[in-house]
Amino acid sequence: MPKIIPFKAVKPTRAIVGLVAARPYQSYTVDERESRMAYNPYSFLHIVNPGYKYDQEVTGEERYKLVKNRYLEFKEDGVFVKDKKPSFYVYKIVNRHGQEFNGIVAATSAEDYEKDIIKKHEDTISKREETFKSYLQTVGFNAEPVLLTYPDNALIAQIINDVQNTKYAEFEFTMTYRDTHYLWKIDDAPTITTIQSEFKNMDTIYIADGHHRSASSYLLYKDEKVKNLDHNGTESYNFFMSYLIPESDLVIYEFNRLIKDLNGLTKEEFLIKLDASYRIENRGLMAYKPSKPHHFSMYLDGEFYSLYLRKTCYTFKTSLDTLDAQLLYKTILQPVLGINDLRNDNRISYVNGHHDMITIKTSVDSGEFTVGFGMCPSNVEQMKQIADEGLTMPPKSTYILPKLRSGITIYEY
């Protein structure tokens, strides 16, 4: 029975929302950030990179305090305005590939995360959880929703469609990446109640993207709950901002793997070891891309190969075992190439499935990497089953769309 509630979002004004909205800070190169901040005084990057104002790098608690100051300045200057009524927000994204995403921005329950009503499929790093929790405690706001997905629901879909067709969008703007964003407000009590009732009838909802943000929000909730002697469960720290979209809207790509060396093996020795688990076919210069689960592509020494799993050599015991990212790890990356820590080993790198096999070829041909692997993407049902079994995927198993922007709706603690 997931609990979602409306909230009073802090939002940019309609005239400048397209200038404020920004991709996550880490997704920019240094040069990209510098360029955007130099020519756009409204970019949300000015808030999350406050040292730019003083031409120096600031970190830790000092940075958090400056982030809060920049945010308050944006509010004082009228760049951000807080809504007067708690609302849900219908949010639509149409990207440059024509893919469309429709959902609802709402506040979701940290207690539901604790009770596994909001389920996860990825491990998180404790240090990152604590860092972001401290950030939230100092700055007092969150500007990027967690991406959650729920089973397709006809009534919620009808409400979203009706809102989009009967109301003018409060926001409609296109980013430089050529994705167009729309936002409508729902603040009437009957519609809010209906949406909440539909979510209460669901058993679970799932984190699609934003595992660390969810975990940090949960840690914040635990801390503040203990500190507040008058805690009653309605305080803002009991919730975190999420963008909830139906499962059919979720788009999942794979992350392909690039490896810097063959762990001391020659090409021939490496291929012989792979032959124990895979049927191998040399495809020459043909850029082979797998089309079935448990099939992989490989680029090595100027040639493409197809790898088909010998199923008699591998036992599928859990849903995780059927995941291609796990399969590649268990049959090649760990036993043959000696990569045990997928998160921290600097011999491995990842390329999302938006890029084709030629990207892998180029990376290997440049000499930076020795071998590259491509695979099929996983699907929503695999993700859910792994979460339901209490298991977690290897790092970089999924590249999930939509990718959200910061600064369009802001949740204050």
Side-chain angles (χ1 to χ4, degrees):
M1 295 175 60
K3 180 179 182 180
I4 70 169
I5 65 168
F7 68 102
K8 298 177 182 179
V10 177
K11 309 192 304 295
T13 61
R14 178 183 176 90
I16 59 173
V17 60
L19 295 172
V20 173
R23 303 199 317 268
Y25 177 82
Q26 298 87 348
S27 69
Y28 294 94
T29 66
V30 173
D31 288 343
E32 284 177 326
R33 284 200 301 266
E34 294 285 325
S35 174
R36 280 161 171 74
M37 295 174 73
Y39 293 102
N40 179 6
Y42 298 111
S43 174
F44 194 77
L45 292 173
H46 284 283
I47 293 176
V48 293
N49 188 22
Y52 177 83
K53 182 176 181 179
Y54 304 106
D55 195 27
Q56 72 175 65
E57 191 75 23
V58 289
T59 59
E61 189 67 24
E62 182 182 24
R63 173 175 170 257
Y64 304 162
K65 291 177 180 177
L66 289 176
V67 167
K68 183 174 183 178
N69 290 345
R70 293 293 87 74
Y71 174 65
L72 293 175
E73 287 169 7
F74 268 49
K75 290 183 72 175
E76 291 162 2
D77 292 342
V79 175
F80 287 134
V81 179
K82 189 169 186 176
D83 280 342
K84 298 187 183 303
K85 293 179 64 176
S87 304
F88 288 141
Y89 302 89
V90 171
Y91 187 23
K92 174 180 175 180
I93 305 171
V94 181
N95 68 19
R96 59 181 168 176
H97 304 290
Q99 294 164 320
E100 184 174 310
F101 310 95
N102 295 276
I104 296 172
V105 177
T108 46
S109 168
E111 189 176 18
D112 284 350
Y113 179 90
E114 181 178 47
K115 293 180 177 179
D116 209 30
I117 294 171
I118 296 175
K119 293 195 173 186
K120 61 183 180 179
H121 65 268
E122 282 186 9
D123 275 333
T124 52
I125 302 171
S126 297
K127 185 176 180 180
R128 285 183 62 189
E129 291 177 17
E130 289 289 343
T131 296
F132 193 62
K133 180 202 73 172
S134 299
Y135 172 86
L136 293 175
Q137 284 177 320
T138 301
V139 304
F141 70 87
N142 187 11
E144 184 185 344
V146 172
L147 181 63
L148 300 180
T149 189
Y150 60 88
D152 285 35
N153 180 289
L155 183 52
I156 295 175
Q158 186 61 54
I159 290 171
I160 290 174
N161 185 68
D162 289 346
V163 168
Q164 292 175 344
N165 289 320
T166 59
K167 293 185 176 183
Y168 287 109
E170 186 171 349
F171 294 154
E172 179 181 348
F173 62 96
T174 300
M175 305 291 291
T176 53
Y177 264 49
R178 290 180 288 161
D179 51 352
T180 302
H181 299 250
Y182 307 81
L183 185 135
W184 296 261
K185 186 191 300 184
I186 298 176
D187 59 7
D188 63 285
T191 306
I192 287 173
T193 299
T194 299
I195 293 171
Q196 289 177 311
S197 297
E198 290 301 301
F199 275 96
K200 282 181 181 178
N201 289 331
M202 300 175 190
D203 294 325
T204 55
I205 53 181
Y206 296 82
I207 301 171
D209 196 13
H211 284 79
H212 281 93
R213 275 172 281 137
S214 304
S216 300
S217 297
Y218 168 63
L219 292 179
L220 176 71
Y221 152 76
K222 287 208 302 182
D223 273 11
E224 297 303 315
K225 180 180 178 180
V226 170
K227 289 190 291 187
N228 184 4
L229 298 179
D230 296 319
H231 171 84
N232 59 30
T234 63
E235 299 87 353
S236 58
Y237 59 74
N238 291 277
F239 303 90
F240 57 95
M241 182 172 63
S242 299
Y243 178 43
L244 300 113
I245 69 171
E247 292 172 5
S248 59
D249 270 19
L250 207 64
V251 175
I252 303 178
Y253 291 96
E254 73 280 11
F255 265 106
N256 297 319
R257 273 66 170 145
L258 287 161
I259 315 298
K260 290 189 174 180
D261 60 67
L262 296 182
N263 197 28
L265 301 171
T266 66
K267 171 185 171 182
E268 291 72 22
E269 290 169 338
F270 177 63
L271 289 171
I272 288 171
K273 285 187 175 292
L274 263 54
D275 192 81
S277 300
Y278 292 91
R279 291 177 53 196
I280 304 172
E281 182 179 342
N282 188 323
R283 302 272 180 155
L285 297 178
M286 186 180 75
Y288 169 73
K289 181 175 175 62
S291 59
K292 295 180 180 180
H294 315 332
H295 290 189
F296 299 91
S297 61
M298 181 175 72
Y299 184 73
L300 172 67
D301 194 25
E303 295 178 308
F304 287 95
Y305 296 81
S306 59
L307 307 179
Y308 298 162
L309 178 69
R310 298 183 189 276
K311 295 183 180 179
T312 55
C313 300
Y314 189 81
T315 303
F316 299 101
K317 294 181 179 179
T318 68
S319 58
L320 181 60
D321 294 326
T322 68
L323 187 73
D324 279 353
Q326 177 76 355
L327 181 59
L328 185 70
Y329 172 65
K330 286 295 187 181
T331 59
I332 299 177
L333 300 184
Q334 186 183 47
V336 180
L337 293 175
I339 295 174
N340 295 302
D341 187 347
L342 292 171
R343 197 179 298 277
N344 297 309
D345 196 317
N346 60 15
R347 295 169 56 220
I348 186 170
S349 189
Y350 303 90
V351 180
N352 71 65
H354 255 312
H355 302 280
D356 57 27
M357 292 304 299
I358 300 303
T359 302
I360 290 180
K361 178 182 185 302
T362 301
S363 298
V364 173
D365 287 346
S366 72
E368 184 181 1
F369 298 95
T370 299
V371 62
F373 298 95
M375 66 187 82
C376 289
S378 56
N379 56 52
V380 173
E381 288 306 316
Q382 278 184 298
M383 183 185 80
K384 289 170 57 179
Q385 190 173 357
I386 288 170
D388 289 345
E389 292 179 17
L391 303 171
T392 53
M393 294 181 175
K396 300 292 186 183
S397 291
T398 56
Y399 180 80
I400 295 179
L401 297 181
K403 294 299 181 188
L404 304 179
R405 297 296 187 264
S406 297
I408 298 174
T409 57
I410 297 174
Y411 181 82
E412 292 188 328
Y413 292 103

